[in-house]
Structures are given as C-alpha cells and as structure tokens.
Amino acid sequence: MSEVKKIELNLLYSTLVREIENELVQELEPQFYRYLAEYLGKLKSETYDGIESKIKNRLVEMITQIVTLIIKIRINKVSHGGLNLSNLLDEEKYIIESVQDQKERKEMILSATLNGRTKLLESVSKKHKTKLISVRFLKDFDQFVGADMSKYGPYKAEEIATIPNENAMALVAKNITVKISVD
C-alpha cells in the first residue's frame, strides 16, 4: 500500500491565492484531487482526544474550505470566460462537460420553440419523462404503471430499481425513494 501524500496547508493556501490572482486556470498536479481525497480520508479516520481532536477537525474544515474555493474558482473561470481548458484536471473536465451539455440543451429547446418544431419538443419531453433512473426504496411500495406504460414493482424497503424519471422524481418528492448514481 502506498504512503498517503502529506498535504501542506500553506501550499494549499498558496495554490488558492495563485488561482485567485491569475485570469487563467493555473496548472496543478494531475493527481491533486485524489491526493486530497486520500489525505482527508485518512485524517478523518484518525481518532484523537481533547485539543488534538479540535485541531484535526479545524484542519479538515480549513482544507475543505480551501479546496471548495479552488474548484469553484477554476470552474467559474472556464464556465464564464471560455478560457483555455488545457490546465483543467480530469475531475474538473467532468464538471464542465455537464455545463456544456446544459447549454446545448437550452439552445436546442429555445431553437425548437422559436422555430415551431413541436415534434422535437414533444420528443424531448417524452424522452425526459421516460428516461430510466436508479432509485433506492425507503419503504415498501405497491406495483404501479410507469410514465412509459410499463408495470413496475412491487418493491420492498431498501430495494434498488430502475424506473422512469417522472415516476422517480414523484417518489423522491414523497420520500418514498432516493435517487442513486450508478456511474
């Protein structure tokens, strides 16, 4: 097992300052988030008493705040300025990809609406309603007919199922299920 890379708070802070002071996304070590995740995971799992426990908790809090700011600033630079993506890390590119998908979807709906393309709008609506979503049932639930006119269930508490989005969101709103990610 490899040794967990030690994270220096001063170095992390200087990374944040560098990101704030520069218009472009700054270069970071490719494993930046993974090192942080590993370090924080190890740190959080350690148990201390008294003042040492307070220091550990404060250290975790400070690292969390700094990393949150770093990622927000980096994503914000690219999202609003369309600046060079070359210094983004893979985890950040994953976030940006969803932002770009959202922009494309917005433009498609706007274009379809403004150009009278009702069939496209109907198709998008149906696809959205019937897109399958994975959920975990929090309580038992009877069989039902989904938005895609297929039968689903019955389900027991803690069971995982894939059901149409429209049904999933309704059940989430009623605290019957929670959405889960299976990526």
Side-chain angles (χ1 to χ4, degrees):
M1 185 175 209
S2 67
E3 176 113 1
V4 174
K5 183 173 180 171
K6 187 175 179 189
I7 303 298
E8 295 288 335
L9 195 56
N10 285 337
L11 183 59
L12 197 55
Y13 177 74
S14 67
T15 301
L16 173 62
V17 169
R18 204 170 32 115
E19 204 62 60
I20 291 170
E21 290 177 342
N22 290 284
E23 186 177 316
L24 297 175
V25 174
Q26 299 301 292
E27 186 174 346
L28 293 177
E29 192 168 341
Q31 305 291 322
F32 180 75
Y33 294 114
R34 285 171 245 168
Y35 289 149
L36 283 167
E38 190 175 18
Y39 180 75
L40 280 171
K42 182 181 180 299
L43 187 60
K44 287 178 179 181
S45 71
E46 294 173 349
T47 55
Y48 296 100
D49 292 327
I51 191 74
E52 289 176 333
S53 176
K54 289 180 182 180
I55 291 169
K56 178 196 87 163
N57 291 341
R58 184 65 180 130
L59 180 59
V60 167
E61 186 180 313
M62 287 189 296
I63 291 172
T64 300
Q65 290 173 346
I66 291 172
V67 172
T68 301
L69 284 171
I70 289 171
I71 199 165
K72 283 182 179 179
I73 290 166
R74 291 170 64 83
I75 297 302
N76 211 24
K77 284 179 183 181
V78 176
S79 296
H80 292 97
L83 300 172
N84 186 349
L85 304 178
S86 64
N87 283 340
L88 284 184
L89 302 179
D90 290 339
E91 296 86 354
E92 295 163 336
K93 289 175 183 174
Y94 176 76
I95 296 168
I96 292 297
E97 184 179 290
S98 70
V99 172
Q100 290 168 336
D101 288 346
Q102 184 181 16
K103 287 178 184 177
E104 289 170 8
R105 287 178 178 192
K106 182 178 75 175
E107 289 301 319
M108 179 183 65
I109 297 300
L110 182 60
S111 174
T113 302
L114 297 177
N115 293 307
R117 298 176 63 200
T118 58
K119 294 287 186 204
L120 177 60
L121 294 171
E122 289 171 15
S123 173
V124 167
S125 177
K126 183 178 180 181
K127 183 178 179 183
H128 176 70
K129 287 180 183 180
T130 60
K131 173 178 73 171
L132 296 178
I133 303 291
S134 295
V135 294
R136 179 174 51 88
F137 280 82
L138 301 174
K139 45 185 107 170
D140 292 354
F141 196 74
D142 291 331
Q143 185 178 46
F144 64 95
V145 176
D148 61 356
M149 299 310 199
S150 295
K151 289 183 181 181
Y152 294 90
Y155 298 104
K156 298 279 185 205
E158 297 304 317
E159 196 169 344
I160 294 177
T162 304
I163 63 176
N165 185 47
E166 183 175 85
N167 304 106
M169 293 303 106
L171 294 174
V172 166
K174 293 177 182 176
N175 292 321
I176 295 170
T177 64
V178 290
K179 187 177 175 183
I180 59 172
S181 178
V182 289
D183 287 343

